[in-house]
C-alpha cells in the first residue's frame, strides 16, 4: 500500500517518531533492527517454543537495512507471521500473550511500546477474514501502542461493521481505545492511504467524533481536532457547519478541539473560521 504523509501532520508525526533513549536519541525506524529482532525472538519463544527463531532472524537481517519505518515494520510482521506455527487465530492468540501491561499514559506508543507495531501489521495484513478476532486484537494492541493503521483495510472491506465497532470504541473507558476510534477513520492519516470514500459522505466520521467532542483526554482531543482539520481540507462546508454547531455551547474540552481544528484556517484569516473564533472567545 502506498503511503504518503504530507504537511503539518507529517511534521507532527516526525516529531513523535523520534524515540529518546537513555543512551542516545535516534529515529524510530532505527529501533527496528536486529537487536529488536533478538528481543522479540525471546518474547515469542517464551510463549511458543516452536517459533522458528533462526529463520525469523535471517529474514529480518537480510531485508531491513535500506528500508524506512513502515516497510521495516512490515518486514518484522511478515517474518513473525512466516515463522510462527499454526493458523492466523493461533498466531494472534500467541502474540497477544507477549503484549504485557497496558500503557497508563497518553505517551509511549512510539517509545516504550513501539515493538508491538509488527503485531498490528500482522492483523492489518492477514486478519481480514476474521473480523472479531482481529478487531479484538486491535483493541488490546491499542491499549499499549496503536491499531490506527490496522483498522483501515477493515473499514474498506467491512465499512458498516467496522464503523459500528468504532462507535463502540468511542465509548470505551480506555482513552487509547477512544482515540483509536477517531484516529483510525481520519481521511488523511499520515502514512496511510487516503479515505476518499469519507470525503463526500463524512457522516460516519462525524458520528464518531461527536461522541468524543467532550472527551477529557487531551490525547483524544488532539485526534478529534486533527480529524476535523482533515475534513476541512476536503469537505470545507460540512466541517465548518459542524464546528458552528459545536460552538454554540461548547464544553471546555470542545472549545479546545474547535480552536485546534481551526488553527490552519485562522492563520489564513479565513472568514468563517474567524467568525467561529470570535463567538467562542
Amino acid at each position: 500500500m502506498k503511503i504518503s504523509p504530507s504537511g503539518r501532520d507529517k511534521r507532527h508525526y516526525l516529531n513523535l517518531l523520534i524515540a529518546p533513549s537513555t543512551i542516545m536519541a535516534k529515529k524510530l525506524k532505527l529501533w527496528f533492527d536486529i537487536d529488536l529482532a533478538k528481543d522479540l525472538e525471546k518474547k515469542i519463544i517464551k510463549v511458543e517454543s516452536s517459533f522458528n527463531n533462526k529463520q525469523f532472524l535471517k529474514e529480518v537481517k537480510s531485508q531491513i537495512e535500506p528500508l524506512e519505518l513502515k516497510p521495516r515494520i512490515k518486514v518484522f510482521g511478515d517474518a513473525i507471521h512466516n515463522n510462527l506455527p499454526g493458523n492466523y487465530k493461533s498466531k494472534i492468540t500467541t502474540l497477544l500473550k507477549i503484549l504485557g501491561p497496558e500503557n497508563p499514559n497518553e505517551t509511549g506508543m512510539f517509545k516504550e511500546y513501539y515493538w508491538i507495531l509488527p503485531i498490528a501489521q500482522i492483523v492489518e495484513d492477514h486478519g481480514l477474514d476474521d473480523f472479531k478476532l482481529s478487531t479484538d486484537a486491535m483493541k488490546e494492541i491499542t491499549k499499549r501502542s496503536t491499531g490506527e493503521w490496522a483498522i483501515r483495510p477493515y473499514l474498506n472491506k467491512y465499512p458498516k461493521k467496522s464503523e459500528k465497532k468504532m462507535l463502540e470504541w468511542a465509548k470505551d473507558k480506555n482513552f487509547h481505545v477512544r482515540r483509536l476510534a477517531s484516529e483510525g477513520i481520519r481521511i488523511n492519516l499520515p502514512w496511510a492511504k487516503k479515505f476518499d470514500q469519507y470525503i463526500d459522505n463524512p457522516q460516519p466520521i462525524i458520528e464518531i467524533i461527536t461522541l468524543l467532542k467532550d472527551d477529557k483526554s487531551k490525547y483524544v482531543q488532539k485526534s478529534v481536532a486533527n480529524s476535523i482539520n482533515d475534513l476541512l481540507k476536503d469537505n470545507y462546508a460540512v466541517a465548518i457547519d459542524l464546528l458552528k454547531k459545536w460552538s454554540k455551547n461548547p464544553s471546555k474540552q470542545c472549545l479546545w478541539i474547535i480552536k485546534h481544528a481551526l488553527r490552519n484556517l485562522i492563520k489564513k484569516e479565513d472568514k468563517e473560521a474567524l467568525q467561529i473564533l470570535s463567538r467562542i472567545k
Side-chain angles (χ1 to χ4, degrees):
M1 181 174 66
K2 186 177 180 180
I3 43 180
S4 54
S6 60
R8 186 178 300 271
D9 278 333
K10 180 179 179 181
R11 292 193 295 274
H12 170 69
Y13 267 63
L14 284 174
N15 287 335
L16 285 176
L17 299 182
I18 302 297
S21 165
T22 54
I23 301 174
M24 62 180 291
K26 61 182 180 180
K27 291 182 179 180
L28 178 57
K29 76 168 188 177
L30 298 178
W31 287 103
F32 287 88
D33 59 9
I34 194 63
D35 288 334
L36 175 60
K38 291 177 180 177
D39 288 341
L40 283 171
E41 167 201 17
K42 293 174 185 176
K43 290 177 186 291
I44 297 171
I45 282 287
K46 284 182 180 180
V47 296
E48 178 49 76
S49 60
S50 298
F51 179 55
N52 189 344
N53 57 312
K54 291 182 179 179
Q55 181 62 26
F56 163 69
L57 293 174
K58 182 179 179 180
E59 289 179 22
V60 170
K61 188 175 182 179
S62 66
Q63 297 179 67
I64 58 170
E65 185 61 33
L67 302 178
E68 295 300 318
L69 174 63
K70 282 289 282 177
R72 285 190 183 215
I73 293 171
K74 182 166 177 55
V75 165
F76 269 80
D78 286 345
I80 293 169
H81 183 267
N82 292 343
N83 292 291
L84 263 178
N87 58 20
Y88 172 75
K89 181 177 181 179
S90 67
K91 292 176 184 183
I92 290 302
T93 301
T94 294
L95 293 171
L96 291 180
K97 294 176 182 178
I98 72 171
L99 296 183
E102 295 178 13
N103 179 9
N105 304 311
E106 292 189 347
T107 58
M109 59 193 289
F110 293 128
K111 295 179 184 178
E112 293 89 348
Y113 299 92
Y114 67 93
W115 58 272
I116 295 175
L117 291 172
I119 302 175
Q121 187 73 51
I122 292 170
V123 175
E124 179 179 349
D125 291 341
H126 302 284
L128 276 172
D129 291 334
D130 196 330
F131 182 87
K132 185 180 186 307
L133 174 65
S134 295
T135 52
D136 287 348
M138 285 179 221
K139 183 176 180 179
E140 290 307 310
I141 288 165
T142 293
K143 291 177 183 178
R144 288 93 175 158
S145 182
T146 181
E148 65 199 64
W149 294 290
I151 187 61
R152 294 175 82 84
Y154 294 79
L155 281 160
N156 283 324
K157 185 171 182 177
Y158 312 103
K160 296 302 180 184
K161 189 157 58 168
S162 298
E163 290 158 11
K164 182 179 178 181
K165 176 60 66 176
M166 297 181 86
L167 286 168
E168 292 177 15
W169 288 344
K171 302 172 187 175
D172 198 88
K173 65 181 180 180
N174 186 291
F175 60 85
H176 289 288
V177 177
R178 298 198 304 275
R179 187 246 184 201
L180 173 60
S182 173
E183 196 73 4
I185 202 171
R186 280 181 59 183
I187 291 173
N188 282 306
L189 180 69
W191 288 287
K193 186 177 180 181
K194 190 173 184 178
F195 267 157
D196 292 327
Q197 67 266 37
Y198 291 120
I199 295 175
D200 293 331
N201 180 27
Q203 191 57 35
I205 295 176
I206 292 172
E207 289 180 14
I208 290 168
I209 62 176
T210 296
L211 290 174
L212 299 168
K213 69 182 178 66
D214 302 308
D215 202 285
K216 290 181 171 57
S217 167
K218 187 66 70 177
Y219 193 43
V220 176
Q221 292 169 28
K222 288 179 181 178
S223 179
V224 173
N226 286 334
S227 186
I228 298 172
N229 186 49
D230 286 354
L231 189 56
L232 282 165
K233 297 172 185 176
D234 290 300
N235 196 327
Y236 176 89
V238 168
I240 281 290
D241 285 347
L242 178 66
L243 292 177
K244 286 179 178 177
K245 179 180 177 181
W246 286 8
S247 68
K248 290 179 180 178
N249 187 27
S251 65
K252 177 182 177 182
Q253 293 79 17
C254 186
L255 185 65
W256 189 93
I257 289 171
I258 294 169
K259 290 180 178 179
H260 197 60
L262 289 172
R263 62 195 184 275
N264 294 331
L265 290 182
I266 290 170
K267 290 178 181 178
K268 296 177 181 178
E269 299 185 347
D270 178 87
K271 181 180 177 181
E272 298 274 22
L274 293 174
Q275 286 180 350
I276 294 171
L277 186 63
S278 66
R279 183 185 304 142
I280 60 179
K281 273 189 173 180

